[in-house]
Amino acid sequence: MDWSTRCCTATGETDDDSGLTKYALAQQLLLMLRESVTCRLWVAMDRWYLKKEFMMFLEANGFDWVTKAKRNTALYRKISHAGRKDRYVPISASQLIKEAYATLIATGKSGLSAASIPDIYMKFPYPAVGRKGQATTKTKFMPIAAVAAIRLKEDEDGDALLEEKEESPAVYRGAYLIISNRHDVPERALEVYGKRWRIEVFFRMAKQDLAFGKCHSTSEAHQHAHMELLFATETLLAYALWKVNKEKTSDESCTHGEMVRGLFKTRCQVHMRNQKGSQRIYIDFDTDVRRFASFISTYWPPFLLMTWWPVYTSIDSHHYQLIS
């Protein structure tokens, strides 16, 4: 089972001592998930979650991780010689990408291209007991998957989100290094990392077009309800976008923002008329929604159930019609 996640929306440590750091919040959310799901899961991380203590927490709780290497990520190559002790030679992520670059571009100039690099390790700390019985921390080399990749989906929009050099990704001519604890299945690790971008796109669209970050309620239940409604809205909108664009050329197709403005933000008037003794409700949309007329006609409900909802005041009682 795969579960790709952004872990949490925070992008930095909290300044308030009473608040949770991004790592503590991510751990809390993942442990809540672990209470209901027992199988091993993938966590596709943004690179600013690349912290050894957090990665060790993931593995200890049955999660596999995958992320993009940073410029300062400490990596080692294992050098083996017959009859001699193995050596671990430091090597940068950028050097690994340069070595694999010729293989990456040999497949052509379109589509994702990747090359797995064997015998790459990272040094992880672990608790140990010293010679005098005291608690101490030692390190050991652990094998990781290292996959050089070019033309990732996220490259279309760029990934220069952080200004700090230590947070910048390792890159060489548009190629990056994907790393994971699953050194036995590097191709699978790259596939899971690719799914992360769809989650990023969802949050970006929800923030830009659906006011994801404009919930001002202080009630946790209301905040959850706000997020759940946006998830449902975005799911329905994604289907509507596919339906509208399915048989259109690129010049005629609609963008996500155009769908939101045309379906959710267009002006409309609702009024009631009597026709042959019966009351009818009419909804008149602005001309902006004309391009979605066929879609609305196809999925508009054949009938609307009318119920009575009583509203009582201190002066008198009134009944209002409710469309449900």
Side-chain angles (χ1 to χ4, degrees), residues 246-306:
K246 186 169 59 172
E247 298 179 355
K248 294 183 178 180
T249 65
S250 58
D251 295 334
E252 299 173 337
S253 61
C254 300
T255 65
H256 185 276
E258 289 173 338
M259 291 289 292
V260 172
R261 290 188 293 271
L263 290 176
F264 298 151
K265 297 183 179 180
T266 189
R267 294 179 299 174
C268 65
Q269 293 180 346
V270 181
H271 52 90
M272 185 172 56
R273 296 176 184 172
N274 290 321
Q275 184 173 356
K276 297 181 180 180
S278 61
Q279 292 182 339
R280 293 189 178 184
I281 294 178
Y282 292 84
I283 303 178
D284 297 328
F285 292 98
D286 198 355
T287 55
D288 291 341
V289 82
R290 183 179 299 169
R291 62 192 304 187
F292 307 109
S294 60
F295 174 79
I296 295 174
S297 299
T298 302
Y299 292 96
W300 192 265
F303 64 90
L304 298 175
L305 175 63
M306 305 296 296

Side-chain angles (χ1 to χ4, degrees), residues 116-176:
S116 178
I117 306 172
D119 299 325
I120 303 301
Y121 287 71
M122 289 184 69
K123 188 184 293 186
F124 286 90
Y126 69 96
V129 179
R131 294 180 178 180
K132 298 182 180 181
Q134 77 280 15
T136 185
T137 300
K138 296 184 178 181
T139 59
K140 57 182 177 181
F141 292 98
M142 301 295 294
I144 64 167
V147 183
I150 195 170
R151 294 184 292 272
L152 295 167
K153 184 66 176 177
E154 59 194 68
D155 294 342
E156 296 178 2
D157 300 319
D159 195 31
L161 300 178
L162 298 179
E163 297 180 357
E164 294 81 5
K165 292 183 179 180
E166 62 271 21
E167 295 292 348
S168 300
V171 59
Y172 176 75
R173 295 186 178 181
Y176 299 90

Side-chain angles (χ1 to χ4, degrees), residues 3 21-23 25 35 65-66 79 81 88 92 95 100 105 115 146 151 173 199 207 211 213 221 292 294 308:
W3 186 70
T21 66
K22 61 180 180 180
Y23 297 107
L25 179 58
E35 292 177 358
W65 56 265
V66 59
I79 306 297
H81 296 284
Y88 296 90
S92 69
Q95 287 178 287
I105 62 175
R151 294 184 292 272
R173 295 186 178 181
I199 301 174
K207 290 178 180 178
F292 307 109
S294 60
W308 290 100

Side-chain angles (χ1 to χ4, degrees), residues 44 59 67 113 123 130 150 171 181 190 198 242-243 291 295 304 318 321:
E59 295 186 38
T67 187
S113 179
K123 188 184 293 186
I150 195 170
V171 59
N181 66 309
L190 178 63
R198 288 183 288 180
W242 169 78
K243 191 70 177 179
R291 62 192 304 187
F295 174 79
L304 298 175
H318 300 277
Q321 282 186 322

